[in-house]
Amino acid sequence: MADDKSKRGGDRDRVSADQEYEIEYFAKRHRISPGAVRELIRQHGNSRKAVVREARKLRP
């Protein structure tokens, strides 16, 4: 089921691996590949804090 983008707020403390636009946004924002984002979520869970922390380690 598609995410309803008109609803704001909610679970900003999680990164959804099921929502392609969220993966793309996170990858662009942190200058890493979408594949790397998926791998980080797989390894560290979908906690935004954990994924951001690990993404910063991967930046060029």
Side-chain angles (χ1 to χ4, degrees):
M1 177 181 223
D3 206 14
D4 185 353
K5 294 179 185 177
S6 67
K7 294 182 180 176
R8 299 290 181 189
D11 62 350
R12 294 299 307 154
D13 58 337
R14 305 249 181 249
V15 180
S16 175
D18 297 332
Q19 302 296 325
E20 191 61 33
Y21 71 88
E22 193 164 343
I23 296 290
E24 293 290 331
Y25 174 80
F26 191 92
K28 185 176 180 181
R29 177 146 193 222
H30 294 282
R31 297 184 305 241
I32 60 176
S33 72
V37 175
R38 287 186 193 91
E39 185 64 22
L40 289 175
I41 292 170
R42 188 183 69 72
Q43 290 177 353
H44 303 284
N46 65 346
S47 165
R48 188 169 299 274
K49 273 187 178 180
V51 177
V52 167
R53 180 182 64 238
E54 296 302 320
R56 286 181 179 153
K57 294 177 184 177
L58 297 177
R59 282 187 185 167

